[in-house]
Amino acid sequence: CTQARIGHRMNIVFRCDPALIDLLPRPVPAKAALPDWLRQMAPRVPSPLHQRSIRTVKQCPPFVDAMTHGFVIPLPCDVTVSDGTFAWDWPLPPLAVPGHPRAPLSFHVPEQIAGSPLAHGQRSALKFNSFWTIELEPGWSLMAVHPINRDDLPFRSISGLVDADRFNAVGINFPAIWTDPVFCGVLPRGTPIAQCYPVPRETLTLTCEPMNDAQLHRYDEVAAQIMAGPGVYRRRHRSKRGVP
C-alpha cells in the first residue's frame, strides 16, 4: 500500500461559494508563503562561544523543509486588533449558501478550553472561519497545525486532524489562542492562519530492536561523515521536495 503511493501526486480540491471565487485569497503551497525573516536571515553568523562562524537555521534542511511542507490557509481580509478587540471592514456580496459565515473569525468561550494548557484565565479562543472546503483523496486525513516555526505570529493555531476525504461538504474552521496581549495593529490579508498537509490513515506497527553489525558499521560511517564537515544530510540523504 505504501509502495503504491511513492511518486503519487495528490489532488487536493478547494471549493468556495460562487460569489467568493474572485474575492478570496487562495490556499497556496507552504513554500510560497515563507516569512520575510527567513529570507533575510544570514546563513552564517559569528559565535563567541565557538570562536568561529556557524550556520543558522536558514541552512538547516529539516527546519526549512518543515516550513515548506503542505499548504497554508490565508486570512481572507485585514483584521485590526486593538485593546483585545478585533475589527474588519470586509463587505461581502450576497452568498449562495444562507448559513455560510461572513466574518473572518469568531470565538470559542473560555469554558471550552478550561482545564487544558490552552486556557489563559477567562480569555476566549479565536476561531478562524473557513471559506474553502477541502477535499482529499480516499483514505487520507488532513492535519492542520500552527504555521510551522512561525512564533512571530501573535496567535497559536490549535492542531487538529480531520478526515477530509469524508468531511468536505463544509469548511474546516481553525481554532487558535491569541498569545500576544499587547499586540496592536493589523493582521494583513494573506497571513497564514494554519499549515495543512495530508496524512494517510493506516495502522502503525512500531518495532524496537538492536542494531546488527551492518547497521552499527553504517551508523559509525555516517556519524564520521557528519563530524568531518557540514551538508551531509542535504547532499546525500535529503530528497528533493516533490521527488520520490
Side-chain angles (χ1 to χ4, degrees):
C1 181
T2 302
Q3 186 68 27
R5 288 198 303 269
I6 293 178
H8 174 68
R9 183 182 293 274
M10 170 168 289
N11 183 38
I12 303 174
V13 181
F14 302 92
R15 300 183 179 92
C16 70
D17 188 289
L20 299 177
I21 190 65
D22 295 322
L23 298 177
L24 291 176
R26 304 189 177 197
V28 296
K31 63 183 178 181
L34 291 174
D36 289 340
W37 59 257
L38 182 64
R39 303 181 193 279
Q40 295 166 2
M41 277 188 73
R44 301 185 71 90
V45 294
S47 168
L49 178 64
H50 294 86
Q51 297 186 342
R52 58 181 172 83
S53 176
I54 61 171
R55 292 174 296 158
T56 66
V57 292
K58 187 173 184 175
Q59 288 199 336
C60 177
F63 182 92
V64 176
D65 287 348
M67 296 180 70
T68 63
H69 187 59
F71 60 90
V72 299
I73 300 293
L75 186 67
C77 67
D78 289 354
V79 174
T80 301
V81 185
S82 178
D83 297 326
T85 63
F86 299 81
W88 51 88
D89 182 11
W90 192 40
L92 295 181
L95 302 182
V97 181
H100 198 290
R102 297 181 65 88
L105 55 86
S106 53
F107 299 91
H108 288 290
V109 296
E111 290 77 10
Q112 291 180 277
I113 54 175
S116 77
L118 302 173
H120 296 275
Q122 288 300 304
R123 281 190 292 170
S124 299
L126 294 178
K127 180 168 65 176
F128 290 108
N129 292 327
S130 175
F131 293 84
W132 295 98
T133 66
I134 305 172
E135 181 179 353
L136 299 185
E137 296 178 0
W140 291 79
S141 298
L142 188 75
M143 177 68 79
V145 301
H146 182 75
I148 294 172
N149 295 329
R150 291 300 305 272
D151 283 3
D152 54 308
L153 296 172
F155 58 87
R156 173 66 58 172
S157 297
I158 299 173
S159 300
L161 183 69
V162 178
D163 294 340
D165 59 339
R166 305 174 65 177
F167 183 85
N168 50 55
V170 298
I172 300 168
N173 295 323
F174 303 97
I177 304 298
W178 192 260
T179 55
D180 188 353
V182 300
F183 180 91
C184 184
V186 176
L187 280 183
R189 168 186 165 100
T191 298
I193 58 175
Q195 186 165 343
C196 305
Y197 48 90
V199 293
R201 286 196 305 276
E202 53 187 29
T203 302
L204 301 179
T205 299
L206 307 182
T207 302
C208 300
E209 60 186 18
M211 288 184 281
N212 59 33
D213 289 345
Q215 291 158 348
L216 289 169
H217 175 75
R218 181 60 177 156
Y219 185 106
D220 188 55
E221 181 180 50
V222 174
Q225 293 169 357
I226 293 172
M227 294 299 294
V232 173
Y233 170 74
R234 184 180 66 253
R235 295 193 309 269
R236 302 186 183 185
H237 303 277
R238 183 192 190 198
S239 172
K240 292 182 180 179
R241 301 299 96 184
V243 178

